């Protein structure tokens, strides 16, 4: 295929919350260049849920932004290390990326993750609400109804992509639109449309109270009991929450550009190599079937740890440059 430079599309992510943990390390590339890599986990409380947002980090020492992430590593306080009262509230701005690889079983694992670029510590007087949102120029490829218990839920899976620097085609994985917006969204965005969409990043456990049967007590003393709760589900997706009118004219991706992007994706998948040994898959947006099970309440399936908040193989680790 003839090399053709695709137009880069807008791709912005903003996360505000309390820093739960940080795992950052300065490393050296094969050619002797230093860089920082690792991840942060931010607790972001909104929509009556505690969201765990994982932020992947990769920054060359030569970058003008390196001092910022170096300050995070050396100075920022976390819930795990310093306690909830002392932990820093932070704002992270970055972009949505796509991580993908073949595991040892030969299965293709794909998930989106949040890549952090700018990091700011918020002071105690800052009352901006917690959030985990993205504004992304998206080429919409199609919709698929969500079915549960053989019935449509009204939600739809959304298939689409955006384009980053250097012809990087970033597919949106595990993306949905809720029942209340689905009809309006699909009417406004026919297949092949390009437009600016707003997303909410969801990653939380659903915890319900365990109902106990009423039994006559034959014990002694106080009958007051602690409420029993259990995790009943995990929600992990990118949710469309709004958008602008689709682009038209020169701003819209043409059929030719869309075809070029799809060809680039096809070639990228062909170039992916299978690793010699297994690595624990997790991240944002894979199907969850390739995940190693972890300790869960009886009867629970392994959660979809395919989010930017878990330890996925870092494709940027030990770069050649």
């Amino acid at each position: 295929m003839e090399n053709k430079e695709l137009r880069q599309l807008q791709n912005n992510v903003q996360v505000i919350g309390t820093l739960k943990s940080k795992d950052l390390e300065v490393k050296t590339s094969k050619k002797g260049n230093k860089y920082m890599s690792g991840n942060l986990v931010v607790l972001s409380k909104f929509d009556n849920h505690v969201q765990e947002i994982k932020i992947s980090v990769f920054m060359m020492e030569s970058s003008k932004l390196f001092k910022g992430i170096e300050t995070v590593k050396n100075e920022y306080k976390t819930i795990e290390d310093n306690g909830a009262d002392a932990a820093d509230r932070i704002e992270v701005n970055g972009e949505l990326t796509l991580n993908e690889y073949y595991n040892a079983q030969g299965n293709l694992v794909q998930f989106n993750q949040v890549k952090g670029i700018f990091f700011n510590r918020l002071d105690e007087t800052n009352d901006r609400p917690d959030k985990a949102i993205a504004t992304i120029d998206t080429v919409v490829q199609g919709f698929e109804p969500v079915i549960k218990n053989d019935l449509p839920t009204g939600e739809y899976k959304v298939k689409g992509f955006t384009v980053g620097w250097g012809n990087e085609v970033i597919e949106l994985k595990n993306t949905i639109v809720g029942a209340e917006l689905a009809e309006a969204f699909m009417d406004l965005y026919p297949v092949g449309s390009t437009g600016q969409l707003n997303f909410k990043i969801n990653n939380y456990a659903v915890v319900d109270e365990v109902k106990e049967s009423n039994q006559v007590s034959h014990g002694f003393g106080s009958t007051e009991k602690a409420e029993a709760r259990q995790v009943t589900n995990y929600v992990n997706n990118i949710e469309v929450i709004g958008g602008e009118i689709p682009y038209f004219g020169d701003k819209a991706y043409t059929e030719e550009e869309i075809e070029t992007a799809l060809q680039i994706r096809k070639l990228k998948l062909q170039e992916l190599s299978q690793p010699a040994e297994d690595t624990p898959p997790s991240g944002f947006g894979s199907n969850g079937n390739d995940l190693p099970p972890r300790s869960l309440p009886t009867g629970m399936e392994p959660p979809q740890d395919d989010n930017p908040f878990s330890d996925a193989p870092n494709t940027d680790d030990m770069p050649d440059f």
Side-chain angles (χ1 to χ4, degrees):
M1 182 181 70
E2 179 183 354
N3 290 332
K4 183 176 180 180
E5 189 69 23
L6 291 173
R7 287 178 290 145
Q8 185 174 350
L9 298 175
Q10 179 175 311
N11 179 353
N12 298 317
V13 175
Q14 181 185 42
V15 177
I16 295 178
T18 303
L19 186 58
K20 178 184 179 182
S21 64
K22 58 183 179 180
D23 180 14
L24 300 172
E25 185 178 356
V26 177
K27 301 180 180 180
T28 304
S29 71
K30 295 177 182 178
K31 293 189 176 180
N33 298 310
K34 289 187 177 180
Y35 64 97
M36 183 90 71
S37 71
N39 61 77
L40 312 175
V41 176
V42 178
L43 290 189
S44 192
K45 299 178 181 180
F46 56 87
D47 292 349
N48 298 316
H49 299 293
V50 178
Q51 315 266 359
E52 283 205 5
I53 312 298
K54 181 175 177 181
I55 314 293
S56 69
V57 174
F58 180 84
M59 191 81 68
M60 297 301 299
E61 187 182 42
S62 57
S63 169
K64 295 180 180 179
L65 302 176
F66 187 81
K67 286 189 177 297
I69 190 59
E70 192 173 42
T71 300
V72 176
K73 179 181 185 299
N74 296 331
E75 299 181 14
Y76 280 25
K77 296 179 180 179
T78 70
I79 294 174
E80 289 189 356
D81 294 335
N82 309 99
D85 292 337
D88 287 316
R89 261 190 105 233
I90 68 172
E91 175 184 355
V92 180
N93 294 89
E95 61 186 9
L96 197 72
T97 63
L98 176 65
N99 197 357
E100 53 189 352
Y101 57 91
Y102 281 97
N103 64 14
Q105 290 74 41
N107 299 317
L108 178 62
V109 181
Q110 299 174 298
F111 52 88
N112 294 118
Q113 59 186 12
V114 178
K115 179 181 179 181
I117 300 175
F118 301 96
F119 307 87
N120 293 291
R121 187 163 34 188
L122 305 179
D123 60 38
E124 294 180 357
T125 62
N126 194 307
D127 58 358
R128 298 166 65 191
D130 287 3
K131 63 179 66 177
I133 60 175
T135 299
I136 301 173
D137 286 348
T138 307
V139 178
V140 175
Q141 297 174 276
F143 306 93
E144 179 184 341
V146 175
I147 305 296
K148 289 184 179 179
N149 300 322
D150 297 325
L151 295 173
T153 65
E155 296 179 325
Y156 281 79
K157 298 177 182 178
V158 181
K159 184 178 181 182
F161 67 85
T162 190
V163 178
W165 180 82
N167 277 8
E168 181 185 12
V169 180
I170 303 163
E171 290 187 39
L172 302 185
K173 296 294 182 180
N174 201 19
T175 302
I176 67 163
V177 60
E180 69 281 1
L181 294 179
E183 183 177 355
F185 178 36
M186 292 188 293
D187 286 345
L188 192 59
Y189 275 80
V191 172
S193 300
T194 307
Q196 186 178 98
L197 301 180
N198 300 320
F199 302 89
K200 179 175 60 176
I201 299 172
N202 293 311
N203 187 65
Y204 60 89
V206 177
V207 181
D208 291 332
E209 182 178 346
V210 178
K211 294 183 179 179
E212 299 182 355
S213 58
N214 294 324
Q215 296 180 349
V216 178
S217 174
H218 298 286
F220 66 96
S222 173
T223 59
E224 183 178 6
K225 297 181 180 180
E227 293 182 351
R229 294 182 177 275
Q230 67 178 9
V231 175
T232 58
N233 191 22
Y234 290 86
V235 176
N236 170 21
N237 56 43
I238 307 173
E239 181 182 353
V240 177
I241 58 174
E244 301 294 335
I245 294 174
Y247 295 143
F248 59 92
D250 294 339
K251 292 196 70 175
Y253 252 47
T254 65
E255 292 184 5
E256 181 182 358
E257 287 174 312
I258 294 174
E259 181 60 30
T260 299
L262 296 179
Q263 289 299 318
I264 289 173
R265 278 294 299 147
K266 183 177 180 180
L267 290 175
K268 174 64 181 295
L269 290 174
Q270 291 174 351
E271 292 169 358
L272 283 178
S273 58
Q274 298 188 17
E277 57 184 39
D278 198 10
T279 47
S282 59
F284 186 41
S286 72
N287 56 24
N289 295 329
D290 301 312
L291 302 173
R294 68 187 187 193
S295 179
L296 290 171
T298 303
M300 284 296 298
E301 295 295 327
Q304 290 190 343
D305 257 354
D306 351 328
N307 46 64
F309 333 123
S310 305
D311 298 324
N314 189 343
T315 55
D316 292 320
D317 212 22
M318 195 55 70
D320 294 328
F321 46 84

